[in-house]
């Protein structure tokens, strides 16, 4: 299973971006599908996760501004980011844990997409 993230770019503070993460391969289920980010000089942190039971979890820093969603048919995860702040600048990674047909469990990362928010 592979993940391809896209949608990053440069935006001014207060602007919006939508990230996408497409999963491909032999996928039976994606139990946990999430976004993480890593800012320069900082450790990678969880931003938002969408679970197969319908629950979602958000980091406190993004609550009320970011919305995670997924299309199960397309195996695609989205992150709608509004009211962006300079501190949201980071490389955003998607991560998926699930099960594939004939391949057992998978736990994979996408390649990352850069989001830059200017003040």
């Amino acid at each position: 299973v592979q993940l391809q993230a896209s949608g990053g770019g440069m935006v001014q503070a207060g602007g919006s971006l939508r990230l996408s993460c497409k999963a491909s391969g032999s996928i039976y289920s994606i139990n946990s599908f999430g976004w993480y980010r890593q800012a320069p000089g900082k450790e990678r942190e969880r931003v938002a996760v969408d679970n197969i039971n319908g629950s979602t979890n958000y980091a406190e820093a993004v609550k009320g501004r970011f919305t995670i969603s997924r299309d199960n048919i397309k195996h695609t995860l989205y992150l709608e980011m509004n009211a962006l702040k300079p501190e949201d600048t980071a490389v955003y990674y998607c991560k998926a844990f699930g099960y594939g047909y004939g391949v057992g469990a998978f736990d994979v990362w996408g390649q990352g997409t850069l989001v830059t928010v200017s003040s």
Side-chain angles (χ1 to χ4, degrees):
V1 174
Q2 293 182 324
L3 304 180
Q4 180 69 44
S6 61
M10 184 176 292
V11 64
Q12 289 189 330
S16 299
L17 282 174
R18 189 192 196 206
L19 305 183
S20 299
C21 176
K22 169 72 175 173
S24 60
S26 180
I27 299 170
Y28 172 73
S29 67
I30 301 179
N31 294 48
S32 175
F33 212 172
W35 291 99
Y36 296 73
R37 67 186 181 186
Q38 187 166 18
K42 294 188 177 181
E43 293 189 353
R44 192 172 298 187
E45 62 178 1
R46 185 180 66 185
V47 175
V49 176
D50 183 276
N51 299 301
I52 197 170
N53 63 3
S55 66
T56 56
N57 306 101
Y58 292 91
E60 285 296 325
V62 307
K63 280 184 179 179
R65 300 187 298 121
F66 292 10
T67 302
I68 191 171
S69 62
R70 69 159 104 178
D71 183 325
N72 285 317
I73 295 175
K74 296 181 179 179
H75 297 312
T76 301
L77 183 72
Y78 303 99
L79 186 68
E80 188 75 37
M81 304 186 294
N82 298 314
L84 282 161
K85 304 176 181 179
E87 51 263 45
D88 294 317
T89 295
V91 177
Y92 284 71
Y93 299 88
C94 52
K95 181 179 184 292
F97 169 78
Y99 296 89
Y101 291 103
V103 297
F106 59 83
D107 192 3
V108 296
W109 290 91
Q111 87 286 6
T113 184
L114 177 62
V115 172
T116 303
V117 184
S118 61
S119 58

mmCIF file of all heavy atoms in Angstrom, residues 39-87:
data_model
loop_
_atom_site.group_PDB
_atom_site.id
_atom_site.type_symbol
_atom_site.label_atom_id
_atom_site.label_comp_id
_atom_site.label_asym_id
_atom_site.label_seq_id
_atom_site.Cartn_x
_atom_site.Cartn_y
_atom_site.Cartn_z
ATOM 1 N N ALA A 39 7.298 20.722 11.620
ATOM 2 C CA ALA A 39 7.826 22.053 11.353
ATOM 3 C C ALA A 39 9.344 22.022 11.475
ATOM 4 O O ALA A 39 9.901 21.138 12.140
ATOM 5 C CB ALA A 39 7.233 23.047 12.342
ATOM 6 N N PRO A 40 10.027 22.966 10.860
ATOM 7 C CA PRO A 40 11.501 22.994 10.934
ATOM 8 C C PRO A 40 11.989 23.010 12.379
ATOM 9 O O PRO A 40 11.538 23.817 13.199
ATOM 10 C CB PRO A 40 11.856 24.297 10.219
ATOM 11 C CG PRO A 40 10.728 24.536 9.286
ATOM 12 C CD PRO A 40 9.515 24.043 9.988
ATOM 13 N N GLY A 41 12.886 22.092 12.693
ATOM 14 C CA GLY A 41 13.462 22.041 14.028
ATOM 15 C C GLY A 41 12.581 21.440 15.097
ATOM 16 O O GLY A 41 12.934 21.446 16.280
ATOM 17 N N LYS A 42 11.421 20.909 14.689
ATOM 18 C CA LYS A 42 10.492 20.335 15.665
ATOM 19 C C LYS A 42 10.202 18.876 15.330
ATOM 20 O O LYS A 42 10.443 18.423 14.219
ATOM 21 C CB LYS A 42 9.192 21.131 15.693
ATOM 22 C CG LYS A 42 9.358 22.558 16.200
ATOM 23 C CD LYS A 42 8.012 23.232 16.382
ATOM 24 C CE LYS A 42 8.167 24.630 16.962
ATOM 25 N NZ LYS A 42 6.852 25.285 17.167
ATOM 26 N N GLU A 43 9.657 18.181 16.299
ATOM 27 C CA GLU A 43 9.299 16.792 16.091
ATOM 28 C C GLU A 43 7.964 16.704 15.339
ATOM 29 O O GLU A 43 7.153 17.626 15.374
ATOM 30 C CB GLU A 43 9.193 16.065 17.432
ATOM 31 C CG GLU A 43 10.519 15.918 18.149
ATOM 32 C CD GLU A 43 10.415 15.013 19.356
ATOM 33 O OE1 GLU A 43 9.302 14.611 19.707
ATOM 34 O OE2 GLU A 43 11.462 14.700 19.944
ATOM 35 N N ARG A 44 7.767 15.573 14.692
ATOM 36 C CA ARG A 44 6.504 15.346 13.989
ATOM 37 C C ARG A 44 5.381 15.245 15.020
ATOM 38 O O ARG A 44 5.527 14.598 16.059
ATOM 39 C CB ARG A 44 6.592 14.071 13.159
ATOM 40 C CG ARG A 44 5.460 13.892 12.181
ATOM 41 C CD ARG A 44 5.707 12.707 11.255
ATOM 42 N NE ARG A 44 6.905 12.894 10.432
ATOM 43 C CZ ARG A 44 7.251 12.071 9.448
ATOM 44 N NH1 ARG A 44 6.491 11.035 9.146
ATOM 45 N NH2 ARG A 44 8.353 12.303 8.763
ATOM 46 N N GLU A 45 4.251 15.865 14.711
ATOM 47 C CA GLU A 45 3.120 15.836 15.619
ATOM 48 C C GLU A 45 1.848 15.448 14.879
ATOM 49 O O GLU A 45 1.710 15.688 13.680
ATOM 50 C CB GLU A 45 2.919 17.205 16.287
ATOM 51 C CG GLU A 45 2.600 18.331 15.316
ATOM 52 C CD GLU A 45 2.352 19.665 16.021
ATOM 53 O OE1 GLU A 45 2.435 19.745 17.246
ATOM 54 O OE2 GLU A 45 2.063 20.633 15.291
ATOM 55 N N ARG A 46 0.922 14.879 15.624
ATOM 56 C CA ARG A 46 -0.355 14.510 15.038
ATOM 57 C C ARG A 46 -1.221 15.758 14.873
ATOM 58 O O ARG A 46 -1.301 16.593 15.776
ATOM 59 C CB ARG A 46 -1.079 13.510 15.939
ATOM 60 C CG ARG A 46 -2.365 12.965 15.362
ATOM 61 C CD ARG A 46 -3.012 11.989 16.326
ATOM 62 N NE ARG A 46 -3.444 12.664 17.539
ATOM 63 C CZ ARG A 46 -3.950 12.033 18.592
ATOM 64 N NH1 ARG A 46 -4.068 10.736 18.583
ATOM 65 N NH2 ARG A 46 -4.322 12.709 19.652
ATOM 66 N N VAL A 47 -1.862 15.848 13.727
ATOM 67 C CA VAL A 47 -2.754 16.972 13.448
ATOM 68 C C VAL A 47 -4.212 16.528 13.580
ATOM 69 O O VAL A 47 -4.991 17.131 14.307
ATOM 70 C CB VAL A 47 -2.510 17.532 12.029
ATOM 71 C CG1 VAL A 47 -3.524 18.624 11.691
ATOM 72 C CG2 VAL A 47 -1.087 18.059 11.905
ATOM 73 N N ALA A 48 -4.564 15.476 12.873
ATOM 74 C CA ALA A 48 -5.941 14.987 12.901
ATOM 75 C C ALA A 48 -5.962 13.552 12.405
ATOM 76 O O ALA A 48 -5.191 13.196 11.508
ATOM 77 C CB ALA A 48 -6.850 15.855 12.039
ATOM 78 N N VAL A 49 -6.849 12.757 12.990
ATOM 79 C CA VAL A 49 -6.975 11.351 12.606
ATOM 80 C C VAL A 49 -8.445 11.002 12.442
ATOM 81 O O VAL A 49 -9.282 11.420 13.257
ATOM 82 C CB VAL A 49 -6.331 10.426 13.665
ATOM 83 C CG1 VAL A 49 -6.560 8.972 13.298
ATOM 84 C CG2 VAL A 49 -4.845 10.708 13.772
ATOM 85 N N ASP A 50 -8.722 10.256 11.405
ATOM 86 C CA ASP A 50 -10.075 9.751 11.149
ATOM 87 C C ASP A 50 -10.063 8.240 11.319
ATOM 88 O O ASP A 50 -9.270 7.548 10.682
ATOM 89 C CB ASP A 50 -10.495 10.120 9.720
ATOM 90 C CG ASP A 50 -11.913 9.696 9.405
ATOM 91 O OD1 ASP A 50 -12.111 8.521 9.032
ATOM 92 O OD2 ASP A 50 -12.823 10.525 9.536
ATOM 93 N N ASN A 51 -10.917 7.742 12.199
ATOM 94 C CA ASN A 51 -10.944 6.319 12.498
ATOM 95 C C ASN A 51 -12.120 5.625 11.816
ATOM 96 O O ASN A 51 -13.150 6.256 11.530
ATOM 97 C CB ASN A 51 -11.027 6.112 14.013
ATOM 98 C CG ASN A 51 -9.828 6.697 14.722
ATOM 99 O OD1 ASN A 51 -8.688 6.325 14.454
ATOM 100 N ND2 ASN A 51 -10.073 7.658 15.612
ATOM 101 N N ILE A 52 -11.972 4.342 11.600
ATOM 102 C CA ILE A 52 -12.973 3.591 10.843
ATOM 103 C C ILE A 52 -14.327 3.555 11.546
ATOM 104 O O ILE A 52 -15.360 3.361 10.902
ATOM 105 C CB ILE A 52 -12.454 2.169 10.545
ATOM 106 C CG1 ILE A 52 -13.266 1.516 9.420
ATOM 107 C CG2 ILE A 52 -12.482 1.314 11.825
ATOM 108 C CD1 ILE A 52 -12.671 0.223 8.918
ATOM 109 N N ASN A 53 -14.324 3.766 12.869
ATOM 110 C CA ASN A 53 -15.592 3.755 13.608
ATOM 111 C C ASN A 53 -16.313 5.100 13.516
ATOM 112 O O ASN A 53 -17.346 5.298 14.145
ATOM 113 C CB ASN A 53 -15.364 3.389 15.077
ATOM 114 C CG ASN A 53 -14.499 4.406 15.806
ATOM 115 O OD1 ASN A 53 -14.113 5.419 15.252
ATOM 116 N ND2 ASN A 53 -14.187 4.100 17.055
ATOM 117 N N GLY A 54 -15.739 6.030 12.748
ATOM 118 C CA GLY A 54 -16.379 7.325 12.553
ATOM 119 C C GLY A 54 -15.869 8.424 13.454
ATOM 120 O O GLY A 54 -16.228 9.592 13.291
ATOM 121 N N SER A 55 -15.061 8.079 14.433
ATOM 122 C CA SER A 55 -14.544 9.093 15.338
ATOM 123 C C SER A 55 -13.376 9.828 14.707
ATOM 124 O O SER A 55 -12.664 9.296 13.852
ATOM 125 C CB SER A 55 -14.110 8.458 16.653
ATOM 126 O OG SER A 55 -13.008 7.593 16.446
ATOM 127 N N THR A 56 -13.208 11.067 15.116
ATOM 128 C CA THR A 56 -12.074 11.880 14.665
ATOM 129 C C THR A 56 -11.393 12.505 15.870
ATOM 130 O O THR A 56 -12.025 12.740 16.910
ATOM 131 C CB THR A 56 -12.522 12.993 13.707
ATOM 132 O OG1 THR A 56 -13.524 13.793 14.347
ATOM 133 C CG2 THR A 56 -13.106 12.422 12.421
ATOM 134 N N ASN A 57 -10.110 12.745 15.736
ATOM 135 C CA ASN A 57 -9.338 13.386 16.790
ATOM 136 C C ASN A 57 -8.528 14.518 16.189
ATOM 137 O O ASN A 57 -7.938 14.351 15.125
ATOM 138 C CB ASN A 57 -8.382 12.378 17.449
ATOM 139 C CG ASN A 57 -9.107 11.140 17.937
ATOM 140 O OD1 ASN A 57 -9.073 10.102 17.280
ATOM 141 N ND2 ASN A 57 -9.772 11.243 19.060
ATOM 142 N N TYR A 58 -8.521 15.640 16.871
ATOM 143 C CA TYR A 58 -7.778 16.799 16.404
ATOM 144 C C TYR A 58 -6.804 17.284 17.475
ATOM 145 O O TYR A 58 -7.095 17.237 18.670
ATOM 146 C CB TYR A 58 -8.730 17.964 16.082
ATOM 147 C CG TYR A 58 -9.631 17.733 14.893
ATOM 148 C CD1 TYR A 58 -10.895 17.175 15.056
ATOM 149 C CD2 TYR A 58 -9.217 18.093 13.618
ATOM 150 C CE1 TYR A 58 -11.728 16.978 13.966
ATOM 151 C CE2 TYR A 58 -10.046 17.909 12.515
ATOM 152 C CZ TYR A 58 -11.296 17.343 12.704
ATOM 153 O OH TYR A 58 -12.118 17.160 11.615
ATOM 154 N N ALA A 59 -5.675 17.793 17.022
ATOM 155 C CA ALA A 59 -4.780 18.488 17.932
ATOM 156 C C ALA A 59 -5.458 19.775 18.387
ATOM 157 O O ALA A 59 -6.204 20.402 17.624
ATOM 158 C CB ALA A 59 -3.462 18.810 17.223
ATOM 159 N N GLU A 60 -5.198 20.169 19.614
ATOM 160 C CA GLU A 60 -5.817 21.375 20.158
ATOM 161 C C GLU A 60 -5.524 22.594 19.292
ATOM 162 O O GLU A 60 -6.382 23.461 19.114
ATOM 163 C CB GLU A 60 -5.319 21.622 21.577
ATOM 164 C CG GLU A 60 -5.916 20.705 22.624
ATOM 165 C CD GLU A 60 -7.419 20.879 22.785
ATOM 166 O OE1 GLU A 60 -7.890 22.027 22.643
ATOM 167 O OE2 GLU A 60 -8.109 19.880 23.035
ATOM 168 N N ALA A 61 -4.338 22.629 18.725
ATOM 169 C CA ALA A 61 -3.915 23.804 17.958
ATOM 170 C C ALA A 61 -4.722 24.014 16.680
ATOM 171 O O ALA A 61 -4.725 25.123 16.128
ATOM 172 C CB ALA A 61 -2.438 23.684 17.614
ATOM 173 N N VAL A 62 -5.407 22.970 16.207
ATOM 174 C CA VAL A 62 -6.115 23.090 14.937
ATOM 175 C C VAL A 62 -7.626 22.948 15.076
ATOM 176 O O VAL A 62 -8.358 23.101 14.089
ATOM 177 C CB VAL A 62 -5.588 22.070 13.905
ATOM 178 C CG1 VAL A 62 -4.082 22.176 13.754
ATOM 179 C CG2 VAL A 62 -6.005 20.653 14.258
ATOM 180 N N LYS A 63 -8.099 22.644 16.264
ATOM 181 C CA LYS A 63 -9.531 22.470 16.470
ATOM 182 C C LYS A 63 -10.292 23.733 16.058
ATOM 183 O O LYS A 63 -9.892 24.849 16.394
ATOM 184 C CB LYS A 63 -9.822 22.152 17.942
ATOM 185 C CG LYS A 63 -9.580 20.702 18.312
ATOM 186 C CD LYS A 63 -9.970 20.436 19.758
ATOM 187 C CE LYS A 63 -9.753 18.975 20.116
ATOM 188 N NZ LYS A 63 -10.096 18.701 21.537
ATOM 189 N N GLY A 64 -11.374 23.518 15.324
ATOM 190 C CA GLY A 64 -12.187 24.634 14.883
ATOM 191 C C GLY A 64 -11.707 25.277 13.598
ATOM 192 O O GLY A 64 -12.425 26.084 12.996
ATOM 193 N N ARG A 65 -10.507 24.924 13.156
ATOM 194 C CA ARG A 65 -9.957 25.499 11.920
ATOM 195 C C ARG A 65 -9.775 24.436 10.837
ATOM 196 O O ARG A 65 -9.935 24.725 9.655
ATOM 197 C CB ARG A 65 -8.614 26.185 12.196
ATOM 198 C CG ARG A 65 -8.694 27.322 13.195
ATOM 199 C CD ARG A 65 -7.361 28.074 13.282
ATOM 200 N NE ARG A 65 -6.268 27.242 13.749
ATOM 201 C CZ ARG A 65 -5.154 27.018 13.055
ATOM 202 N NH1 ARG A 65 -4.981 27.572 11.866
ATOM 203 N NH2 ARG A 65 -4.201 26.246 13.573
ATOM 204 N N PHE A 66 -9.387 23.240 11.240
ATOM 205 C CA PHE A 66 -9.116 22.150 10.299
ATOM 206 C C PHE A 66 -10.242 21.123 10.380
ATOM 207 O O PHE A 66 -10.781 20.863 11.464
ATOM 208 C CB PHE A 66 -7.804 21.452 10.626
ATOM 209 C CG PHE A 66 -6.557 22.275 10.393
ATOM 210 C CD1 PHE A 66 -6.606 23.627 10.110
ATOM 211 C CD2 PHE A 66 -5.316 21.660 10.454
ATOM 212 C CE1 PHE A 66 -5.466 24.370 9.900
ATOM 213 C CE2 PHE A 66 -4.152 22.382 10.247
ATOM 214 C CZ PHE A 66 -4.224 23.738 9.975
ATOM 215 N N THR A 67 -10.547 20.515 9.235
ATOM 216 C CA THR A 67 -11.545 19.450 9.185
ATOM 217 C C THR A 67 -10.991 18.286 8.383
ATOM 218 O O THR A 67 -10.556 18.461 7.241
ATOM 219 C CB THR A 67 -12.841 19.935 8.531
ATOM 220 O OG1 THR A 67 -13.360 21.055 9.261
ATOM 221 C CG2 THR A 67 -13.886 18.822 8.533
ATOM 222 N N ILE A 68 -11.013 17.103 8.995
ATOM 223 C CA ILE A 68 -10.546 15.897 8.329
ATOM 224 C C ILE A 68 -11.758 15.126 7.812
ATOM 225 O O ILE A 68 -12.802 15.089 8.464
ATOM 226 C CB ILE A 68 -9.694 15.032 9.284
ATOM 227 C CG1 ILE A 68 -8.978 13.923 8.516
ATOM 228 C CG2 ILE A 68 -10.537 14.464 10.426
ATOM 229 C CD1 ILE A 68 -7.952 13.174 9.363
ATOM 230 N N SER A 69 -11.586 14.536 6.640
ATOM 231 C CA SER A 69 -12.653 13.714 6.087
ATOM 232 C C SER A 69 -12.036 12.696 5.147
ATOM 233 O O SER A 69 -10.863 12.825 4.770
ATOM 234 C CB SER A 69 -13.672 14.576 5.328
ATOM 235 O OG SER A 69 -13.066 15.230 4.227
ATOM 236 N N ARG A 70 -12.810 11.682 4.782
ATOM 237 C CA ARG A 70 -12.298 10.681 3.862
ATOM 238 C C ARG A 70 -13.379 10.192 2.924
ATOM 239 O O ARG A 70 -14.561 10.216 3.261
ATOM 240 C CB ARG A 70 -11.657 9.513 4.587
ATOM 241 C CG ARG A 70 -12.617 8.631 5.339
ATOM 242 C CD ARG A 70 -12.000 7.262 5.567
ATOM 243 N NE ARG A 70 -11.535 7.052 6.902
ATOM 244 C CZ ARG A 70 -11.000 5.893 7.315
ATOM 245 N NH1 ARG A 70 -10.845 4.893 6.477
ATOM 246 N NH2 ARG A 70 -10.597 5.759 8.567
ATOM 247 N N ASP A 71 -12.944 9.727 1.775
ATOM 248 C CA ASP A 71 -13.805 9.073 0.794
ATOM 249 C C ASP A 71 -13.373 7.620 0.776
ATOM 250 O O ASP A 71 -12.307 7.280 0.258
ATOM 251 C CB ASP A 71 -13.609 9.736 -0.574
ATOM 252 C CG ASP A 71 -14.530 9.152 -1.635
ATOM 253 O OD1 ASP A 71 -14.800 7.929 -1.596
ATOM 254 O OD2 ASP A 71 -14.971 9.908 -2.510
ATOM 255 N N ASN A 72 -14.181 6.750 1.347
ATOM 256 C CA ASN A 72 -13.799 5.339 1.473
ATOM 257 C C ASN A 72 -13.768 4.622 0.123
ATOM 258 O O ASN A 72 -13.013 3.667 -0.042
ATOM 259 C CB ASN A 72 -14.753 4.619 2.417
ATOM 260 C CG ASN A 72 -14.492 4.980 3.863
ATOM 261 O OD1 ASN A 72 -13.352 5.057 4.292
ATOM 262 N ND2 ASN A 72 -15.558 5.223 4.612
ATOM 263 N N ILE A 73 -14.562 5.082 -0.813
ATOM 264 C CA ILE A 73 -14.557 4.439 -2.134
ATOM 265 C C ILE A 73 -13.272 4.760 -2.871
ATOM 266 O O ILE A 73 -12.665 3.900 -3.502
ATOM 267 C CB ILE A 73 -15.792 4.873 -2.931
ATOM 268 C CG1 ILE A 73 -17.061 4.358 -2.252
ATOM 269 C CG2 ILE A 73 -15.704 4.388 -4.371
ATOM 270 C CD1 ILE A 73 -18.338 4.822 -2.880
ATOM 271 N N LYS A 74 -12.838 6.000 -2.768
ATOM 272 C CA LYS A 74 -11.614 6.431 -3.438
ATOM 273 C C LYS A 74 -10.366 6.207 -2.592
ATOM 274 O O LYS A 74 -9.256 6.464 -3.050
ATOM 275 C CB LYS A 74 -11.712 7.910 -3.800
ATOM 276 C CG LYS A 74 -12.798 8.241 -4.797
ATOM 277 C CD LYS A 74 -12.803 9.737 -5.110
ATOM 278 C CE LYS A 74 -13.879 10.079 -6.129
ATOM 279 N NZ LYS A 74 -13.920 11.525 -6.428
ATOM 280 N N HIS A 75 -10.561 5.720 -1.352
ATOM 281 C CA HIS A 75 -9.418 5.539 -0.421
ATOM 282 C C HIS A 75 -8.604 6.829 -0.321
ATOM 283 O O HIS A 75 -7.378 6.819 -0.382
ATOM 284 C CB HIS A 75 -8.516 4.389 -0.879
ATOM 285 C CG HIS A 75 -9.187 3.050 -0.879
ATOM 286 N ND1 HIS A 75 -9.927 2.576 0.175
ATOM 287 C CD2 HIS A 75 -9.233 2.090 -1.839
ATOM 288 C CE1 HIS A 75 -10.397 1.370 -0.125
ATOM 289 N NE2 HIS A 75 -9.998 1.063 -1.336
ATOM 290 N N THR A 76 -9.291 7.933 -0.189
ATOM 291 C CA THR A 76 -8.636 9.228 -0.158
ATOM 292 C C THR A 76 -9.003 9.980 1.120
ATOM 293 O O THR A 76 -10.168 10.004 1.515
ATOM 294 C CB THR A 76 -9.004 10.062 -1.386
ATOM 295 O OG1 THR A 76 -8.610 9.351 -2.565
ATOM 296 C CG2 THR A 76 -8.289 11.406 -1.368
ATOM 297 N N LEU A 77 -8.006 10.573 1.715
ATOM 298 C CA LEU A 77 -8.162 11.361 2.936
ATOM 299 C C LEU A 77 -7.976 12.824 2.589
ATOM 300 O O LEU A 77 -7.148 13.168 1.741
ATOM 301 C CB LEU A 77 -7.108 10.939 3.961
ATOM 302 C CG LEU A 77 -7.160 11.617 5.323
ATOM 303 C CD1 LEU A 77 -8.369 11.114 6.120
ATOM 304 C CD2 LEU A 77 -5.869 11.339 6.086
ATOM 305 N N TYR A 78 -8.740 13.689 3.254
ATOM 306 C CA TYR A 78 -8.654 15.115 3.005
ATOM 307 C C TYR A 78 -8.406 15.866 4.316
ATOM 308 O O TYR A 78 -8.760 15.395 5.396
ATOM 309 C CB TYR A 78 -9.945 15.643 2.381
ATOM 310 C CG TYR A 78 -10.323 14.947 1.098
ATOM 311 C CD1 TYR A 78 -11.273 13.935 1.095
ATOM 312 C CD2 TYR A 78 -9.725 15.301 -0.114
ATOM 313 C CE1 TYR A 78 -11.626 13.290 -0.078
ATOM 314 C CE2 TYR A 78 -10.070 14.664 -1.286
ATOM 315 C CZ TYR A 78 -11.018 13.652 -1.265
ATOM 316 O OH TYR A 78 -11.349 13.017 -2.437
ATOM 317 N N LEU A 79 -7.810 17.029 4.185
ATOM 318 C CA LEU A 79 -7.681 17.931 5.326
ATOM 319 C C LEU A 79 -7.989 19.328 4.835
ATOM 320 O O LEU A 79 -7.215 19.904 4.063
ATOM 321 C CB LEU A 79 -6.283 17.872 5.941
ATOM 322 C CG LEU A 79 -6.115 18.693 7.224
ATOM 323 C CD1 LEU A 79 -6.935 18.066 8.361
ATOM 324 C CD2 LEU A 79 -4.644 18.799 7.636
ATOM 325 N N GLU A 80 -9.126 19.845 5.241
ATOM 326 C CA GLU A 80 -9.519 21.212 4.913
ATOM 327 C C GLU A 80 -8.949 22.115 5.994
ATOM 328 O O GLU A 80 -9.281 21.958 7.181
ATOM 329 C CB GLU A 80 -11.041 21.321 4.863
ATOM 330 C CG GLU A 80 -11.555 22.652 4.349
ATOM 331 C CD GLU A 80 -11.396 22.782 2.840
ATOM 332 O OE1 GLU A 80 -11.573 21.772 2.130
ATOM 333 O OE2 GLU A 80 -11.092 23.904 2.390
ATOM 334 N N MET A 81 -8.093 23.038 5.581
ATOM 335 C CA MET A 81 -7.417 23.911 6.544
ATOM 336 C C MET A 81 -7.855 25.349 6.301
ATOM 337 O O MET A 81 -7.629 25.894 5.222
ATOM 338 C CB MET A 81 -5.900 23.789 6.394
ATOM 339 C CG MET A 81 -5.393 22.370 6.534
ATOM 340 S SD MET A 81 -3.588 22.261 6.535
ATOM 341 C CE MET A 81 -3.239 22.794 4.864
ATOM 342 N N ASN A 82 -8.495 25.929 7.287
ATOM 343 C CA ASN A 82 -8.967 27.305 7.213
ATOM 344 C C ASN A 82 -8.287 28.165 8.275
ATOM 345 O O ASN A 82 -7.716 27.636 9.231
ATOM 346 C CB ASN A 82 -10.488 27.347 7.399
ATOM 347 C CG ASN A 82 -11.232 26.594 6.324
ATOM 348 O OD1 ASN A 82 -10.946 26.738 5.128
ATOM 349 N ND2 ASN A 82 -12.191 25.781 6.718
ATOM 350 N N ALA A 83 -8.379 29.463 8.101
ATOM 351 C CA ALA A 83 -7.802 30.414 9.055
ATOM 352 C C ALA A 83 -6.363 30.046 9.380
ATOM 353 O O ALA A 83 -5.971 29.987 10.546
ATOM 354 C CB ALA A 83 -8.660 30.464 10.325
ATOM 355 N N LEU A 84 -5.592 29.794 8.350
ATOM 356 C CA LEU A 84 -4.220 29.335 8.548
ATOM 357 C C LEU A 84 -3.365 30.400 9.212
ATOM 358 O O LEU A 84 -3.550 31.601 8.996
ATOM 359 C CB LEU A 84 -3.608 28.926 7.206
ATOM 360 C CG LEU A 84 -4.068 27.552 6.707
ATOM 361 C CD1 LEU A 84 -3.828 27.400 5.210
ATOM 362 C CD2 LEU A 84 -3.350 26.454 7.483
ATOM 363 N N LYS A 85 -2.448 29.922 10.031
ATOM 364 C CA LYS A 85 -1.541 30.794 10.777
ATOM 365 C C LYS A 85 -0.097 30.467 10.392
ATOM 366 O O LYS A 85 0.186 29.344 9.957
ATOM 367 C CB LYS A 85 -1.714 30.552 12.276
ATOM 368 C CG LYS A 85 -3.125 30.736 12.790
ATOM 369 C CD LYS A 85 -3.211 30.366 14.266
ATOM 370 C CE LYS A 85 -4.628 30.518 14.797
ATOM 371 N NZ LYS A 85 -4.717 30.139 16.232
ATOM 372 N N PRO A 86 0.804 31.411 10.561
ATOM 373 C CA PRO A 86 2.214 31.115 10.252
ATOM 374 C C PRO A 86 2.740 29.886 10.992
ATOM 375 O O PRO A 86 3.571 29.147 10.457
ATOM 376 C CB PRO A 86 2.931 32.387 10.701
ATOM 377 C CG PRO A 86 1.920 33.467 10.505
ATOM 378 C CD PRO A 86 0.601 32.827 10.890
ATOM 379 N N GLU A 87 2.239 29.645 12.193
ATOM 380 C CA GLU A 87 2.695 28.483 12.960
ATOM 381 C C GLU A 87 2.183 27.168 12.404
ATOM 382 O O GLU A 87 2.579 26.094 12.878
ATOM 383 C CB GLU A 87 2.324 28.615 14.444
ATOM 384 C CG GLU A 87 0.860 28.944 14.690
ATOM 385 C CD GLU A 87 0.636 30.429 14.912
ATOM 386 O OE1 GLU A 87 1.209 31.250 14.151
ATOM 387 O OE2 GLU A 87 -0.126 30.774 15.842
#
